[in-house]
Amino acid sequence: MKKILFFMTLLVMGVSFASAQTNADIKFDKTTHDFGKFSENSPVVSCTFTFTNIGDAPLVIHQAVASCGCTVPEYTKEPIMPGKKGTIKVTYNGTGKYPGHFKKSITLRTNAKTEMVRLYIEGDMVAKDAK
């Protein structure tokens, strides 16, 4: 009986410890960027999303995946300490794409309270001969 009580006590202490653990949390300045109109003559455009770790543990971005190969995310690889900032640079390459409106997404997987965050870019690539 004493062994059972001892193990139950350890179990309760373990659950209490687990619930008291700290978490990273991510907050973006913005989650959408509109490039507006840009020419097919200069089809590569980039923007930077800035985020802050508003949690109380280091924030790690495990993965950043774009919705297509024409969009490439680059992100801060090292852990972001609580209160510090990091960036995600997103480059859209419209070379060989039809002019017009586009909207792409970048899915981030992190160790934050909200493990998955989606960022969006959009714009209008105007044909070379259009003014």
Side-chain angles (χ1 to χ4, degrees):
M1 184 69 178
K2 286 184 179 181
K3 283 185 178 180
I4 292 172
L5 284 174
F6 175 73
F7 287 119
M8 287 180 69
T9 302
L10 283 179
L11 178 64
V12 169
M13 288 174 59
V15 170
S16 297
F17 176 75
S19 65
Q21 288 181 335
T22 57
N23 288 312
D25 202 2
I26 191 167
K27 181 176 186 222
F28 279 87
D29 293 349
K30 62 180 181 175
T31 56
T32 301
H33 180 81
D34 187 345
F35 291 107
K37 291 184 178 182
F38 61 95
S39 174
E40 189 178 11
N41 292 326
S42 300
V44 180
V45 290
S46 296
C47 68
T48 300
F49 292 92
T50 302
F51 62 87
T52 305
N53 178 358
I54 60 170
D56 50 14
L59 171 69
V60 177
I61 297 174
H62 299 298
Q63 190 178 42
V65 179
S67 59
C68 76
C70 59
T71 305
V72 178
E74 298 173 50
Y75 58 94
T76 306
K77 303 281 195 263
E78 57 275 348
I80 308 299
M81 295 297 124
K84 300 296 181 185
K85 294 184 180 292
T87 58
I88 312 268
K89 180 182 177 185
V90 179
T91 301
Y92 172 78
N93 186 345
T95 303
K97 305 289 181 204
Y98 286 105
H101 186 78
F102 68 89
K103 186 168 185 173
K104 306 295 179 184
S105 66
I106 299 89
T107 303
L108 302 177
R109 298 197 188 282
T110 72
N111 69 329
K113 288 178 187 174
T114 303
E115 295 176 6
M116 190 177 80
V117 177
R118 202 160 271 141
L119 305 174
Y120 298 94
I121 60 168
E122 64 181 305
D124 290 289
M125 187 166 69
V126 180
K128 290 179 183 179
D129 53 3
K131 294 186 178 167

